[in-house]
Amino acid sequence: MIPVQGFDGQKVAVLGLGRSGLATAAALKAGGATPLLWDDSPESRARAEAAGWTCHDLTRNDAFEGVAALITSPGIPHLYPTPNRHIARAMAEGIPVDNDIGLFFRSWATPEWDNFDTPPRTVCVTGSNGKSTTTALIHHILAHAGRPTQMAGNIGRGVLDIDPATDGEVVVLELSSYQTDLARALTPDIAVFTNLSPDHLDRHGGPGGYFAAKRRLFAEGGPDRAVIGVDEPEGIYLANQLAMRREDDRVIRVSSARKLGDYGWSVFARKGFLAEWRKGRQVASIDLREVKGLPGAHNHQNACAAFAATRALGLSPRLIEEAFHSFAGLPHRSQTIAEKAGVRFVNDSKATNVDSAEKALEAFDNIRWIAGGLGKEGGVTALRAHLGKVKKAYFIGHSGRDFALELAPLAHEICETMEAAVAAAARDAEAGDTVLLAPAAASFDQYPNFEKRGEHFAELVARLPG
């Protein structure tokens, strides 16, 4: 646990009593503060009370009397589409509003660091797609190299739930736009921007607000090194804003689409080969085609970003390449779960939007595609240009029939349920085919989250004869 600094002897309200909220309350208490817990959900309050906490009703007129700050969970809106009433009241009364990420950065460094030979460092990863894989890959490379490391944030443990720093440790954090948007302190040593595609637009008031939330990690965070994916206009803009000149090697540009040899420092992948260039010449190369845990161009972009971040930490290309080959990938992200009678079954349940589904469809051949769920704004017509490898689609969930209409004349079957889709795809599949779950939709019509959807797919595949 990271005891929160700066609130000793003060009352701090905590709004939202999920995993991060309860970890925040414990960290505040460990730092000498008095946490005042609240959640509008009676079930969440009951769970907190069962864990030994006392709730403090923020609906009372005097609820914020003497409160030094309000710490809110990331999922609670503070501005768009409508501010949560407790956050709006705190802001109106002049009470600072923060989240656990802001508390982490104000509390991570301690006087004990003066005794370390090597100061601990933080690597923060944000973006629309690939940030979980990139975060996990950076963490895996560091562990493979024998460097002390922890992983937290939007993946693994909550940031305040990790252990205090050790000499030379590197903490790798995955940060969503919800987390970077409100944090009052952001001071990463290395910050990574993977890419940007439309998502969470209602929460941020449109694409500009969404990008601005992620940009804060760089513009206000002031990292020593910035690893920037430049395959979209926003990444090009961000790299341009951060670099003082073309040769500025504090900005490492990353691409999975084109050569980037003319900058101070760049890492790119073309035709399955990763190349690192510095000051106009190539200094390293890795063949990514046989790295089983990182299939497809989208994962090659993740590999480039992780390579750049760990090179900035001083690791050698040879050591990074070794770690690539031992990386198993993350569950629900282009994860090969089985091969039966020459048919590959891939779980990419995390492909919840059009952009991530597009990348999955480009990564495999001879695809039997399982898609559908709770469709997102804008539909899936943008995927028409990426169906060349799809032999047949098997549509499920609330938006299954809409997907079929939008993607006509794609060969398809309306299956409604995952059980029917897996059975139909397995029935049709031939040796050399890939049965790919890449829904291009949220899961909430049939599952509580994308993880449960992916787990159900894996369970059904496991039952197939084999």
Coordinates of all heavy atoms in Angstrom, one line a residue, residues 319-395:
L319 N 18.0 -8.2 -25.2 CA 17.2 -8.6 -24.0 C 15.7 -8.4 -24.3 O 14.9 -9.2 -23.9 CB 17.7 -7.8 -22.8 CG 17.4 -8.3 -21.4 CD1 18.0 -9.7 -21.2 CD2 18.0 -7.4 -20.4
I320 N 15.4 -7.3 -24.9 CA 14.0 -7.0 -25.2 C 13.5 -8.1 -26.2 O 12.3 -8.6 -26.0 CB 13.9 -5.6 -25.8 CG1 14.3 -4.6 -24.8 CG2 12.4 -5.4 -26.3 CD1 14.4 -3.2 -25.4
E321 N 14.2 -8.5 -27.2 CA 13.8 -9.5 -28.2 C 13.6 -10.8 -27.5 O 12.6 -11.5 -27.7 CB 14.9 -9.6 -29.3 CG 14.4 -10.7 -30.3 CD 15.4 -10.7 -31.5 OE1 16.5 -10.1 -31.4 OE2 15.1 -11.4 -32.5
E322 N 14.4 -11.2 -26.5 CA 14.2 -12.4 -25.8 C 12.9 -12.4 -25.0 O 12.1 -13.4 -25.0 CB 15.4 -12.6 -24.7 CG 16.7 -13.0 -25.3 CD 17.8 -13.1 -24.2 OE1 17.4 -12.9 -23.0 OE2 18.9 -13.4 -24.5
A323 N 12.6 -11.2 -24.4 CA 11.4 -11.1 -23.7 C 10.1 -11.2 -24.6 O 9.1 -11.7 -24.2 CB 11.4 -9.8 -22.9
F324 N 10.2 -10.6 -25.8 CA 9.1 -10.7 -26.7 C 8.7 -12.2 -26.9 O 7.5 -12.5 -26.9 CB 9.5 -10.1 -28.1 CG 9.5 -8.6 -28.2 CD1 9.9 -8.0 -29.3 CD2 9.0 -7.8 -27.1 CE1 9.8 -6.6 -29.4 CE2 8.9 -6.5 -27.2 CZ 9.3 -5.8 -28.4
H325 N 9.7 -13.0 -27.1 CA 9.4 -14.4 -27.4 C 8.8 -15.2 -26.2 O 8.1 -16.2 -26.4 CB 10.6 -15.1 -27.9 CG 10.9 -14.8 -29.3 ND1 10.3 -15.3 -30.4 CD2 11.9 -13.9 -29.8 CE1 10.8 -14.8 -31.5 NE2 11.7 -13.9 -31.2
S326 N 9.0 -14.7 -25.0 CA 8.4 -15.4 -23.9 C 7.1 -14.7 -23.4 O 6.5 -15.1 -22.4 CB 9.4 -15.4 -22.7 OG 9.8 -14.1 -22.3
F327 N 6.6 -13.7 -24.1 CA 5.4 -13.0 -23.7 C 4.2 -13.8 -24.3 O 4.1 -14.0 -25.5 CB 5.4 -11.6 -24.3 CG 4.2 -10.8 -24.0 CD1 3.9 -10.4 -22.7 CD2 3.3 -10.4 -25.0 CE1 2.8 -9.6 -22.4 CE2 2.2 -9.6 -24.7 CZ 1.9 -9.2 -23.4
A328 N 3.3 -14.2 -23.4 CA 2.2 -15.0 -23.8 C 1.0 -14.2 -24.3 O 0.0 -14.8 -24.8 CB 1.7 -15.9 -22.6
G329 N 1.0 -12.9 -24.2 CA -0.1 -12.1 -24.5 C -1.1 -12.0 -23.3 O -0.9 -12.7 -22.3
L330 N -2.1 -11.2 -23.5 CA -3.1 -11.0 -22.5 C -4.4 -11.7 -22.8 O -4.8 -11.8 -24.0 CB -3.4 -9.5 -22.3 CG -2.4 -8.6 -21.7 CD1 -2.8 -7.2 -21.6 CD2 -2.1 -9.1 -20.3
P331 N -5.1 -12.2 -21.8 CA -6.4 -12.8 -22.0 C -7.3 -11.8 -22.8 O -7.3 -10.6 -22.5 CB -6.9 -13.1 -20.6 CG -5.7 -13.2 -19.8 CD -4.8 -12.2 -20.4
H332 N -8.1 -12.3 -23.7 CA -9.2 -11.6 -24.4 C -8.6 -10.6 -25.4 O -9.3 -9.7 -25.9 CB -10.1 -10.9 -23.4 CG -10.5 -11.7 -22.2 ND1 -11.2 -12.9 -22.4 CD2 -10.2 -11.6 -20.9 CE1 -11.4 -13.4 -21.2 NE2 -10.8 -12.6 -20.3
R333 N -7.3 -10.6 -25.7 CA -6.7 -9.7 -26.7 C -5.9 -10.5 -27.7 O -4.7 -10.9 -27.4 CB -5.8 -8.7 -26.0 CG -6.6 -7.8 -25.0 CD -5.7 -7.2 -24.0 NE -6.4 -6.2 -23.1 CZ -7.0 -6.5 -22.0 NH1 -7.0 -7.8 -21.6 NH2 -7.5 -5.6 -21.3
S334 N -6.5 -10.9 -28.8 CA -5.9 -11.7 -29.9 C -5.2 -12.9 -29.2 O -4.1 -13.3 -29.6 CB -4.8 -10.8 -30.6 OG -5.5 -9.8 -31.3
Q335 N -5.9 -13.5 -28.3 CA -5.4 -14.7 -27.6 C -5.8 -16.0 -28.2 O -7.0 -16.3 -28.3 CB -6.0 -14.6 -26.1 CG -5.5 -15.8 -25.2 CD -6.4 -15.9 -24.0 OE1 -7.5 -15.3 -23.9 NE2 -5.9 -16.5 -23.0
T336 N -4.8 -16.7 -28.7 CA -5.0 -18.1 -29.2 C -5.4 -19.0 -28.0 O -4.5 -19.2 -27.2 CB -3.9 -18.6 -30.0 OG1 -3.6 -17.8 -31.1 CG2 -4.1 -20.0 -30.5
I337 N -6.6 -19.5 -28.0 CA -7.0 -20.4 -26.9 C -7.0 -21.8 -27.2 O -7.0 -22.7 -26.3 CB -8.3 -19.9 -26.3 CG1 -9.4 -20.0 -27.4 CG2 -8.3 -18.6 -25.7 CD1 -10.8 -19.8 -26.9
A338 N -7.0 -22.2 -28.5 CA -7.0 -23.6 -28.9 C -6.7 -23.7 -30.4 O -6.9 -22.8 -31.1 CB -8.3 -24.2 -28.5
E339 N -6.2 -24.9 -30.7 CA -6.1 -25.3 -32.1 C -6.6 -26.7 -32.2 O -6.1 -27.6 -31.5 CB -4.6 -25.2 -32.6 CG -4.1 -23.8 -32.7 CD -2.8 -23.7 -33.5 OE1 -2.5 -24.7 -34.2 OE2 -2.1 -22.7 -33.3
K340 N -7.7 -26.9 -33.0 CA -8.3 -28.2 -33.1 C -8.5 -28.6 -34.5 O -9.1 -27.8 -35.3 CB -9.7 -28.2 -32.3 CG -9.6 -27.8 -30.9 CD -10.9 -28.1 -30.1 CE -10.7 -27.8 -28.6 NZ -11.8 -28.4 -27.8
A341 N -8.0 -29.7 -34.9 CA -8.1 -30.2 -36.3 C -7.7 -29.2 -37.3 O -8.3 -29.0 -38.4 CB -9.6 -30.7 -36.6
G342 N -6.6 -28.5 -36.9 CA -6.1 -27.5 -37.9 C -6.8 -26.1 -37.8 O -6.4 -25.2 -38.6
V343 N -7.8 -26.0 -37.0 CA -8.5 -24.7 -36.8 C -8.0 -24.0 -35.6 O -8.0 -24.5 -34.5 CB -10.0 -25.0 -36.8 CG1 -10.8 -23.6 -36.6 CG2 -10.5 -25.7 -38.0
R344 N -7.7 -22.7 -35.8 CA -7.2 -21.9 -34.7 C -8.4 -21.1 -34.1 O -9.2 -20.5 -34.9 CB -6.2 -20.9 -35.2 CG -5.5 -20.0 -34.2 CD -4.5 -19.1 -34.9 NE -3.7 -18.4 -33.9 CZ -2.7 -17.5 -34.3 NH1 -2.5 -17.3 -35.6 NH2 -2.0 -16.9 -33.4
F345 N -8.5 -21.1 -32.8 CA -9.6 -20.3 -32.1 C -8.9 -19.2 -31.3 O -8.1 -19.4 -30.5 CB -10.4 -21.2 -31.1 CG -11.2 -22.3 -31.8 CD1 -10.6 -23.5 -32.2 CD2 -12.5 -22.1 -32.1 CE1 -11.3 -24.5 -32.9 CE2 -13.2 -23.1 -32.8 CZ -12.6 -24.3 -33.2
V346 N -9.4 -17.9 -31.7 CA -8.8 -16.7 -31.1 C -9.8 -15.9 -30.3 O -10.9 -15.6 -30.9 CB -8.1 -15.9 -32.2 CG1 -7.6 -14.6 -31.6 CG2 -7.0 -16.6 -32.9
N347 N -9.5 -15.6 -29.1 CA -10.4 -14.8 -28.3 C -9.9 -13.3 -28.2 O -8.9 -13.0 -27.6 CB -10.4 -15.4 -26.8 CG -11.0 -14.5 -25.8 OD1 -11.8 -13.6 -26.2 ND2 -10.8 -14.7 -24.5
D348 N -10.6 -12.4 -28.9 CA -10.3 -11.0 -28.9 C -11.6 -10.3 -28.4 O -12.0 -9.3 -29.0 CB -9.9 -10.5 -30.2 CG -9.1 -9.2 -30.1 OD1 -9.2 -8.5 -29.1 OD2 -8.3 -8.9 -31.1
S349 N -12.1 -10.7 -27.3 CA -13.3 -10.2 -26.7 C -13.1 -8.7 -26.4 O -14.1 -7.9 -26.3 CB -13.8 -10.9 -25.5 OG -15.0 -10.4 -24.9
K350 N -11.9 -8.3 -26.1 CA -11.6 -6.9 -25.8 C -11.8 -6.0 -27.0 O -11.9 -4.7 -26.8 CB -10.1 -6.8 -25.3 CG -9.7 -5.4 -24.9 CD -10.5 -4.9 -23.7 CE -9.8 -3.6 -23.1 NZ -9.9 -2.5 -24.0
A351 N -12.0 -6.5 -28.2 CA -12.2 -5.7 -29.4 C -13.7 -5.2 -29.3 O -14.6 -5.7 -30.0 CB -12.0 -6.5 -30.7
T352 N -13.9 -4.2 -28.5 CA -15.2 -3.7 -28.2 C -15.6 -2.5 -29.1 O -16.8 -2.1 -29.0 CB -15.4 -3.3 -26.8 OG1 -14.4 -2.2 -26.5 CG2 -15.1 -4.4 -25.8
N353 N -14.7 -2.1 -30.0 CA -15.1 -1.0 -30.9 C -14.6 -1.3 -32.3 O -13.9 -2.3 -32.5 CB -14.5 0.4 -30.4 CG -13.0 0.3 -30.3 OD1 -12.3 -0.3 -31.0 ND2 -12.5 1.0 -29.3
V354 N -15.0 -0.5 -33.3 CA -14.7 -0.8 -34.7 C -13.2 -0.8 -34.9 O -12.7 -1.7 -35.7 CB -15.4 0.3 -35.6 CG1 -14.8 0.2 -37.0 CG2 -16.9 0.0 -35.6
D355 N -12.5 0.1 -34.3 CA -11.0 0.2 -34.6 C -10.3 -1.0 -34.1 O -9.5 -1.6 -34.9 CB -10.5 1.4 -33.9 CG -9.0 1.7 -34.2 OD1 -8.8 2.0 -35.4 OD2 -8.2 1.6 -33.4
S356 N -10.6 -1.5 -32.9 CA -9.9 -2.7 -32.4 C -10.3 -4.0 -33.2 O -9.5 -4.9 -33.5 CB -10.1 -2.9 -30.9 OG -11.5 -2.8 -30.6
A357 N -11.6 -4.0 -33.6 CA -12.1 -5.2 -34.4 C -11.4 -5.2 -35.8 O -11.0 -6.2 -36.3 CB -13.6 -5.1 -34.6
E358 N -11.2 -4.0 -36.4 CA -10.5 -3.9 -37.6 C -9.1 -4.4 -37.5 O -8.6 -5.2 -38.4 CB -10.4 -2.4 -38.0 CG -9.5 -2.1 -39.2 CD -9.2 -0.6 -39.3 OE1 -10.1 0.2 -39.1 OE2 -8.1 -0.3 -39.6
K359 N -8.4 -4.1 -36.5 CA -7.0 -4.6 -36.3 C -7.0 -6.1 -36.2 O -6.1 -6.8 -36.7 CB -6.4 -4.0 -35.1 CG -6.1 -2.5 -35.3 CD -5.6 -1.8 -34.1 CE -5.0 -0.4 -34.4 NZ -6.0 0.5 -34.9
A360 N -8.0 -6.7 -35.5 CA -8.1 -8.2 -35.3 C -8.3 -8.8 -36.7 O -7.8 -9.8 -37.0 CB -9.1 -8.5 -34.3
L361 N -9.2 -8.2 -37.5 CA -9.6 -8.8 -38.8 C -8.4 -8.7 -39.7 O -8.3 -9.6 -40.7 CB -10.8 -8.0 -39.4 CG -12.1 -8.2 -38.7 CD1 -13.1 -7.3 -39.2 CD2 -12.6 -9.7 -38.8
E362 N -7.5 -7.8 -39.6 CA -6.3 -7.7 -40.4 C -5.2 -8.7 -39.9 O -4.2 -8.9 -40.7 CB -5.8 -6.3 -40.4 CG -6.7 -5.2 -41.0 CD -6.8 -5.4 -42.5 OE1 -6.0 -6.1 -43.1 OE2 -7.7 -4.8 -43.1
A363 N -5.3 -9.2 -38.7 CA -4.2 -10.0 -38.2 C -4.2 -11.4 -38.5 O -3.2 -12.1 -38.4 CB -4.2 -9.8 -36.6
F364 N -5.4 -11.9 -39.0 CA -5.5 -13.4 -39.3 C -6.0 -13.6 -40.7 O -6.6 -12.7 -41.3 CB -6.4 -14.0 -38.2 CG -6.0 -13.8 -36.8 CD1 -6.5 -12.7 -36.0 CD2 -5.0 -14.6 -36.2 CE1 -6.1 -12.5 -34.7 CE2 -4.6 -14.3 -34.9 CZ -5.1 -13.3 -34.2
D365 N -5.9 -14.9 -41.1 CA -6.4 -15.3 -42.5 C -7.5 -16.3 -42.3 O -7.7 -16.9 -41.3 CB -5.3 -15.9 -43.3 CG -4.1 -15.0 -43.5 OD1 -4.4 -13.8 -43.9 OD2 -2.9 -15.4 -43.4
N366 N -8.3 -16.4 -43.4 CA -9.4 -17.4 -43.4 C -10.3 -17.4 -42.2 O -10.4 -18.4 -41.4 CB -8.8 -18.8 -43.6 CG -7.9 -18.9 -44.8 OD1 -8.3 -18.4 -45.9 ND2 -6.8 -19.6 -44.7
I367 N -10.9 -16.3 -42.0 CA -11.6 -16.0 -40.7 C -13.0 -16.4 -40.7 O -13.8 -16.1 -41.6 CB -11.5 -14.5 -40.4 CG1 -10.0 -14.0 -40.2 CG2 -12.3 -14.1 -39.1 CD1 -9.8 -12.5 -40.1
R368 N -13.4 -17.1 -39.6 CA -14.8 -17.3 -39.3 C -15.1 -16.4 -38.1 O -14.6 -16.6 -37.0 CB -15.0 -18.8 -38.8 CG -14.6 -19.8 -39.8 CD -15.6 -20.0 -40.9 NE -15.2 -20.9 -42.0 CZ -16.0 -21.2 -43.0 NH1 -17.2 -20.7 -43.2 NH2 -15.5 -22.1 -43.9
W369 N -15.8 -15.3 -38.4 CA -15.8 -14.1 -37.5 C -17.1 -14.1 -36.6 O -18.2 -14.1 -37.1 CB -15.8 -12.9 -38.3 CG -15.8 -11.6 -37.6 CD1 -15.3 -11.3 -36.3 CD2 -16.4 -10.4 -38.1 NE1 -15.6 -10.0 -36.0 CE2 -16.2 -9.4 -37.0 CE3 -17.0 -10.0 -39.2 CZ2 -16.7 -8.1 -37.2 CZ3 -17.5 -8.7 -39.4 CH2 -17.3 -7.7 -38.4
I370 N -16.9 -14.2 -35.3 CA -18.0 -14.0 -34.4 C -18.0 -12.6 -33.9 O -17.1 -12.1 -33.3 CB -17.9 -15.0 -33.2 CG1 -17.9 -16.5 -33.7 CG2 -19.0 -14.8 -32.2 CD1 -17.6 -17.5 -32.6
A371 N -19.2 -11.9 -34.1 CA -19.2 -10.5 -33.8 C -20.6 -10.1 -33.3 O -21.6 -10.9 -33.6 CB -18.8 -9.6 -35.0
G372 N -20.8 -9.0 -32.7 CA -22.1 -8.5 -32.2 C -22.1 -8.3 -30.7 O -21.1 -8.7 -30.0
G373 N -23.1 -7.8 -30.2 CA -23.3 -7.4 -28.8 C -24.1 -6.2 -28.8 O -25.0 -6.0 -29.5
L374 N -23.7 -5.3 -27.9 CA -24.3 -4.0 -27.8 C -23.5 -3.0 -28.6 O -22.5 -2.5 -28.2 CB -24.4 -3.5 -26.3 CG -25.2 -2.3 -26.0 CD1 -26.7 -2.5 -26.3 CD2 -25.1 -1.9 -24.5
G375 N -24.1 -2.7 -29.8 CA -23.3 -1.9 -30.8 C -23.1 -0.4 -30.3 O -23.9 0.1 -29.4
K376 N -22.1 0.2 -30.8 CA -21.8 1.6 -30.4 C -22.2 2.6 -31.4 O -22.5 2.2 -32.6 CB -20.3 1.7 -30.1 CG -19.8 0.8 -28.9 CD -18.4 1.1 -28.4 CE -18.1 0.3 -27.2 NZ -16.7 0.6 -26.7
E377 N -22.2 3.8 -31.1 CA -22.6 4.9 -32.0 C -21.8 4.9 -33.2 O -20.5 4.7 -33.2 CB -22.5 6.2 -31.2 CG -23.0 7.4 -32.0 CD -22.9 8.7 -31.3 OE1 -22.6 8.7 -30.1 OE2 -23.1 9.8 -31.9
G378 N -22.4 5.0 -34.4 CA -21.7 5.0 -35.6 C -21.7 3.7 -36.4 O -21.4 3.7 -37.6
G379 N -22.2 2.6 -35.7 CA -22.3 1.4 -36.4 C -20.9 0.8 -36.8 O -19.9 1.2 -36.3
V380 N -21.0 -0.2 -37.7 CA -19.8 -0.9 -38.1 C -19.5 -0.8 -39.6 O -18.7 -1.6 -40.2 CB -19.9 -2.4 -37.7 CG1 -19.9 -2.5 -36.2 CG2 -21.2 -3.1 -38.3
T381 N -20.1 0.1 -40.3 CA -19.9 0.2 -41.8 C -18.5 0.4 -42.1 O -18.0 0.0 -43.2 CB -20.8 1.3 -42.4 OG1 -20.5 2.5 -41.7 CG2 -22.3 0.9 -42.3
A382 N -17.7 1.0 -41.2 CA -16.3 1.2 -41.5 C -15.5 0.0 -41.6 O -14.4 0.0 -42.2 CB -15.7 2.1 -40.4
L383 N -16.1 -1.2 -41.2 CA -15.4 -2.4 -41.3 C -15.5 -3.1 -42.7 O -14.8 -4.1 -43.0 CB -15.9 -3.4 -40.2 CG -15.5 -3.1 -38.8 CD1 -16.2 -4.1 -37.8 CD2 -14.0 -3.1 -38.6
R384 N -16.3 -2.5 -43.5 CA -16.5 -3.1 -44.9 C -15.2 -3.2 -45.6 O -15.0 -4.2 -46.4 CB -17.5 -2.2 -45.7 CG -18.9 -2.4 -45.3 CD -19.8 -1.5 -46.2 NE -21.2 -1.6 -45.9 CZ -22.1 -0.8 -46.4 NH1 -21.8 0.1 -47.2 NH2 -23.4 -1.0 -46.1
A385 N -14.3 -2.3 -45.4 CA -13.0 -2.3 -46.1 C -12.0 -3.4 -45.6 O -11.0 -3.5 -46.1 CB -12.4 -0.9 -46.1
H386 N -12.4 -4.1 -44.5 CA -11.5 -5.0 -43.9 C -12.1 -6.4 -43.8 O -11.7 -7.1 -42.9 CB -11.2 -4.4 -42.5 CG -10.7 -3.0 -42.5 ND1 -9.4 -2.7 -42.7 CD2 -11.4 -1.9 -42.3 CE1 -9.3 -1.4 -42.7 NE2 -10.4 -0.8 -42.4
L387 N -12.9 -6.7 -44.7 CA -13.6 -8.0 -44.6 C -13.0 -9.0 -45.6 O -13.6 -10.1 -45.8 CB -15.1 -7.9 -44.9 CG -15.8 -7.0 -43.9 CD1 -17.3 -6.8 -44.3 CD2 -15.7 -7.5 -42.5
G388 N -11.9 -8.7 -46.3 CA -11.3 -9.5 -47.3 C -10.9 -10.9 -46.9 O -10.9 -11.9 -47.7
K389 N -10.6 -11.0 -45.6 CA -10.1 -12.3 -45.1 C -11.3 -13.1 -44.4 O -11.0 -14.2 -43.9 CB -9.0 -12.1 -44.1 CG -7.7 -11.5 -44.7 CD -6.7 -11.3 -43.6 CE -5.5 -10.5 -44.2 NZ -4.4 -10.3 -43.1
V390 N -12.4 -12.5 -44.3 CA -13.6 -13.1 -43.6 C -14.3 -14.1 -44.6 O -14.9 -13.6 -45.6 CB -14.5 -12.1 -43.1 CG1 -15.7 -12.8 -42.4 CG2 -13.8 -11.2 -42.1
K391 N -14.4 -15.4 -44.2 CA -15.1 -16.3 -45.0 C -16.6 -16.3 -44.7 O -17.4 -16.5 -45.6 CB -14.5 -17.7 -44.8 CG -13.1 -17.9 -45.2 CD -12.5 -19.2 -44.9 CE -13.0 -20.3 -45.8 NZ -12.2 -21.6 -45.6
K392 N -16.9 -16.1 -43.4 CA -18.3 -16.0 -43.0 C -18.3 -15.4 -41.6 O -17.4 -15.5 -40.8 CB -18.9 -17.4 -42.9 CG -20.4 -17.4 -42.6 CD -21.0 -18.8 -42.7 CE -22.4 -18.9 -42.3 NZ -23.0 -20.3 -42.4
A393 N -19.4 -14.6 -41.3 CA -19.6 -14.0 -40.0 C -20.8 -14.7 -39.3 O -21.7 -15.2 -39.9 CB -19.9 -12.5 -40.2
Y394 N -20.7 -14.7 -38.0 CA -21.7 -15.3 -37.1 C -22.1 -14.3 -36.1 O -21.3 -14.0 -35.1 CB -21.1 -16.6 -36.5 CG -20.6 -17.6 -37.5 CD1 -19.3 -17.4 -38.0 CD2 -21.3 -18.6 -38.0 CE1 -18.7 -18.2 -38.9 CE2 -20.8 -19.5 -38.9 CZ -19.5 -19.3 -39.4 OH -19.0 -20.2 -40.3
F395 N -23.2 -13.6 -36.3 CA -23.6 -12.5 -35.5 C -24.4 -12.9 -34.3 O -25.3 -13.7 -34.3 CB -24.4 -11.5 -36.3 CG -23.5 -10.9 -37.4 CD1 -23.9 -10.9 -38.8 CD2 -22.3 -10.2 -37.1 CE1 -23.1 -10.4 -39.7 CE2 -21.6 -9.6 -38.1 CZ -22.0 -9.7 -39.4

